[in-house]
Amino acid sequence: MTREELQALKSKIKAMITKSESDIKDMEAMTQPISPENAIGRISRMDAINNKSVIEAALRNKKRKLYKLKIALANVDEEGFGICSNCKKPIQQGRLILMPESNHCIRCAGR
Ligand SMILES: [Zn+2]
């Protein structure tokens, strides 16, 4: 990858981090405890609890991704960035751009 491509990737990772952080904030607001005195009725309360666990699972994924994005951002200038941690071959550039948080090439990630 050229210097310019790396710089572009770096700003993309930063934008993804900002986006993830605001998504996480929104989702955390949605997973506030549901108070029993809420006058939403039993059925809608069950709906709310179901939605809550779906959101909580998504939230965990988001947080994991955010963590990996931060690592990617910290490593983007390092020698080994963009090298598959499994087979030590360069990760396809298209994949790096789509999923900069990944440290495996398409082949190894698919295994
Ligand atoms: Zn690989």
Side-chain angles (χ1 to χ4, degrees):
M1 241 192 273
T2 64
R3 212 53 242 158
E4 289 72 38
E5 284 168 342
L6 267 182
Q7 283 313 309
L9 184 60
K10 209 171 176 176
S11 24
K12 181 155 188 270
I13 297 174
K14 278 186 195 156
M16 286 170 90
I17 288 176
T18 312
K19 174 89 172 56
S20 296
E21 280 172 342
S22 84
D23 284 353
I24 286 171
K25 228 187 237 162
D26 288 349
M27 287 163 92
E28 272 173 346
M30 288 190 274
T31 57
Q32 290 311 304
I34 303 154
S35 63
E37 60 272 26
N38 247 352
I40 53 176
R42 192 167 159 270
I43 304 284
S44 21
R45 192 176 140 73
M46 278 168 69
D47 271 354
I49 291 170
N50 277 335
N51 286 339
K52 189 172 180 286
S53 54
V54 170
I55 294 168
E56 276 169 351
L59 186 58
R60 274 196 298 276
N61 284 334
K62 278 262 176 216
K63 282 186 173 169
R64 204 174 304 136
K65 184 170 173 183
L66 175 62
Y67 174 73
K68 285 182 172 177
L69 282 171
K70 284 182 172 170
I71 293 177
L73 184 64
N75 288 337
V76 91
D77 292 319
E78 301 290 321
E79 191 87 16
F81 182 77
I83 302 296
C84 174
S85 67
N86 186 48
C87 65
K88 311 293 177 205
K89 285 180 187 151
I91 298 173
Q92 294 79 354
Q93 202 176 316
R95 177 171 169 82
L96 274 183
I97 292 166
L98 280 176
M99 303 181 58
E101 74 277 18
S102 171
N103 55 359
H104 285 110
C105 70
I106 291 174
R107 275 181 57 126
C108 297
R111 244 177 244 171

